[in-house]
Amino acid sequence: MPSAIGKEFLQPDSGQEVVELLVKYGDRALVVGGGTFLHGLVARGVLREMDVLIDLQNAGLSYVKQERDALAIGATTTFAELAAAERVQNKPELGSVLDALRYPPAQIRNMATVGGCVATAMPLFDLPVAFMALDSSVRAVGPKGAREIGLHKFYLDYFEHVLERTELLTEILVPRQPSRSASAFLKLETNANDLALLNVGVRVTLDEKGTCRDARVVVGGGIGKVPVRAVSCEDVLKGQRPTLALLKESGNVVSFDIHPVSDFRTSAKYRSTVAKVFVRRTLLRAFGRLGVHLDGQS
Amino acid sequence: MKKIINLDINGQSQEVAVGPHHTLLQVLRDELGLLGTKKGCDTGGCGCCTVLVDGKAMYSCMIFAMAAQGKKITTVEGLTENATLDPVQQAFIETGAVQCGYCTCGMIMTAKAYLSSNSSHVPSDLEARQAIAGNLCRCTGYQKIVDAIRLAAGRRIVASSEKG
């Protein structure tokens, strides 16, 4: 790795200590979780010089806890640890998270951290989309104390979020989901170690009669600067009985909510076309987890 | 600023002087001369630098050397015991799962970690391919590597059943 990065390597013992270091070093410090994205940025010359690297592995932030109203996932919990956590097993409502964790190769799953993935604010990442479909929040600590921010208000732009330089993201909070809910996630990628060309996270909730009471559809991966909630797709579903035609209709209106970009990996036109199909397929997967199996799979 | 640290590599404590930006890969190859671990993309995309950290497959090009303190690191040099190849290495030889050889050590380490945590059955072709999804090979077409993983898995099951 180029020596432009890091003159000091610090391993604080708590989140509070990290905040003290961030106050002390300000813009000169960079917080490192699993470090799996950092090295690529440095190699490409994207990351400017950083004097101090703050490694979080000793900060006591690796855990999955059930709080009264939410599942709290510590920031340094690795993808593999979260995927294996007992509290996320056999829960259709958390399907989007487990789906998203299956895509990266073993090496990345063993290293990458949940908090790092969320805090990098990279709109092509998967987990943020999966968490946003579940109305998740982040908890951050800073010099003024702790605060919670909904993920839908968290991201501003490529690599930019609302946290101050002196704040540390400590937890992702996945709220208790409504009963009869299931979620799912799908990603289009070119190989097993790729950023998303497009990704979709959904959560659907049925009422006692099997009507879709509520829905969340979130699209990410090259459709804008931040993942987008596709309200048009949700509105098509609400109050309706799920059918294949309804899911197709929901997918087809996604163009109202997303603004795909063209880049070296694929074109905006292709992303627009695939988004419709992927919304439909992700919905199919989520409804399937509620026992609603629609004929004539896409 | 360089610091002297101790790393547990293949069961031996190694004292090395490293800077904050040095990766585990750099230390293994440049400081310790353990050249089995290869440098490919150096950005976590190709897998040929894969080592085991506390038994888990990881890209050594992405681990800061200082962050590896206190962990058990195994490289391909550490798989051989008393001049006997690890069964995974042996299976790679027997199936001809090597062409240019550049990816091989990373493949073996990934396969080793996978087989250690999935010891109860012989993986299907698909499972074996998914297990090595983080490792690129540009020569073999993967099939012989998949065959090697399945061969090693099968022998392991036979061996453990014979032990009873």
Side-chain angles (χ1 to χ4, degrees):
Chain A
M1 229 169 106
S3 58
I5 182 162
K7 291 172 185 157
E8 267 195 273
F9 192 88
L10 305 173
Q11 294 183 301
D13 292 326
S14 68
Q16 202 51 49
E17 206 178 310
V18 177
V19 171
E20 287 163 21
L21 291 170
L22 288 172
V23 169
K24 182 176 171 190
Y25 292 107
D27 280 352
R28 294 190 297 128
L30 184 70
V31 172
V32 181
T36 52
F37 199 58
L38 166 70
H39 294 76
L41 292 178
V42 174
R44 290 179 184 88
V46 178
L47 195 67
R48 66 187 174 79
E49 195 167 321
M50 288 284 168
D51 287 343
V52 182
L53 296 174
I54 302 174
D55 175 11
L56 294 183
Q57 69 174 315
N58 296 341
L61 296 172
S62 297
Y63 52 79
V64 180
K65 288 195 285 213
Q66 186 64 55
E67 296 187 352
R68 198 166 58 99
D69 300 318
L71 190 70
I73 304 164
T76 58
T77 307
T78 64
F79 288 10
E81 286 166 349
L82 178 58
E86 210 182 319
R87 293 186 192 283
V88 306
Q89 308 304 318
N90 304 315
K91 299 226 164 88
E93 67 271 28
L94 300 180
S96 64
V97 175
L98 286 181
D99 287 345
L101 292 171
R102 277 192 201 108
Y103 284 93
Q107 292 94 327
I108 298 290
R109 288 201 301 270
N110 288 333
M111 301 173 73
T113 65
V114 174
C117 182
V118 170
T120 301
M122 172 53 163
L124 308 182
F125 280 0
D126 301 330
L127 268 183
V129 169
F131 282 133
M132 283 170 83
L134 304 176
D135 292 334
S136 304
S137 312
V138 301
R139 189 174 276 157
V141 292
K144 294 175 199 156
R147 63 172 173 146
E148 288 173 19
I149 308 136
L151 265 184
H152 61 286
K153 291 182 186 161
F154 183 72
Y155 295 116
L156 299 173
D157 205 334
Y158 281 89
F159 307 120
E160 281 186 34
H161 51 56
V162 300
L163 294 187
E164 303 287 334
R165 288 292 308 174
T166 49
E167 286 182 298
L168 173 73
L169 188 158
T170 53
E171 285 174 344
I172 286 86
L173 301 168
V174 181
R176 216 178 270 283
Q177 301 297 306
S179 55
R180 281 183 289 277
S181 292
S183 70
F185 172 92
L186 268 184
K187 171 187 185 177
L188 181 68
E189 57 184 352
T190 58
N191 63 53
N193 202 354
D194 195 15
L195 295 169
L197 297 178
L198 187 102
N199 54 21
V200 178
V202 307
R203 185 202 68 207
V204 292
T205 306
L206 295 177
D207 65 14
E208 297 89 343
K209 294 173 186 163
T211 304
C212 181
R213 186 160 67 83
D214 195 16
R216 288 285 178 281
V217 177
V218 180
V219 188
I223 51 79
K225 293 173 176 176
V226 301
V228 172
R229 189 166 152 200
V231 181
S232 306
C233 303
E234 297 173 5
D235 287 345
V236 167
L237 298 165
K238 285 182 198 169
Q240 303 293 322
R241 210 172 179 80
T243 62
L244 203 57
L246 185 77
L247 270 50
K248 191 169 184 181
E249 191 187 337
S250 173
N252 283 345
V253 297
V254 71
S255 352
F256 292 116
D257 297 308
I258 61 174
H259 303 282
V261 296
S262 285
D263 56 26
F264 71 96
R265 295 158 72 242
T266 193
S267 66
K269 196 176 168 200
Y270 181 66
R271 285 190 164 107
S272 291
T273 306
V274 168
K276 295 175 187 173
V277 178
F278 266 55
V279 167
R280 183 179 80 226
R281 287 186 187 168
T282 320
L283 287 168
L284 266 176
R285 186 183 267 198
F287 280 116
R289 288 177 176 158
L290 288 170
V292 180
H293 299 290
L294 304 166
D295 291 325
Q297 298 282 317
S298 59
Chain B
M1 206 178 305
K2 280 197 172 182
K3 272 188 190 164
I4 306 281
I5 61 167
N6 280 290
L7 295 178
D8 178 345
I9 296 170
N10 299 329
Q12 290 187 332
S13 177
Q14 301 275 5
E15 194 179 80
V16 283
V18 299
H21 57 280
H22 282 129
T23 63
L24 178 60
L25 175 64
Q26 288 173 314
V27 170
L28 292 172
R29 290 184 60 85
D30 302 341
E31 303 293 324
L32 301 173
L34 293 168
L35 302 179
T37 307
K38 299 293 187 285
K39 177 176 167 181
C41 68
D42 210 17
T43 54
C46 74
C48 65
C49 70
T50 301
V51 299
L52 306 187
V53 178
D54 291 336
K56 292 175 190 156
M58 296 192 191
Y59 295 136
S60 62
C61 74
M62 285 181 158
I63 302 170
F64 288 109
M66 288 190 180
Q69 293 175 89
K71 300 178 192 301
K72 284 187 187 310
I73 295 144
T74 310
T75 70
V76 71
E77 290 90 346
L79 291 189
T80 308
E81 271 186 54
N82 303 323
T84 306
L85 291 178
D86 185 272
V88 179
Q89 292 173 302
Q90 189 62 38
F92 268 64
I93 292 170
E94 288 178 31
T95 56
V98 181
Q99 282 192 34
C100 89
Y102 205 79
C103 75
T104 307
C105 298
M107 284 285 184
I108 287 173
M109 299 314 285
T110 305
K112 176 78 184 164
Y114 173 76
L115 293 174
S116 300
S117 55
N118 296 274
S119 55
S120 60
H121 76 295
V122 176
S124 65
D125 260 34
L126 180 63
E127 286 171 323
R129 282 173 190 274
Q130 283 170 339
I132 54 165
N135 293 68
L136 294 180
C137 169
R138 304 288 78 176
C139 324
T140 64
Y142 298 100
Q143 188 56 50
K144 290 182 176 179
I145 296 171
V146 168
D147 294 344
I149 294 169
R150 300 190 61 211
L151 177 65
R155 282 188 180 155
R156 190 188 169 110
I157 290 167
V158 171
S160 64
S161 66
E162 281 171 357
K163 267 186 210 165

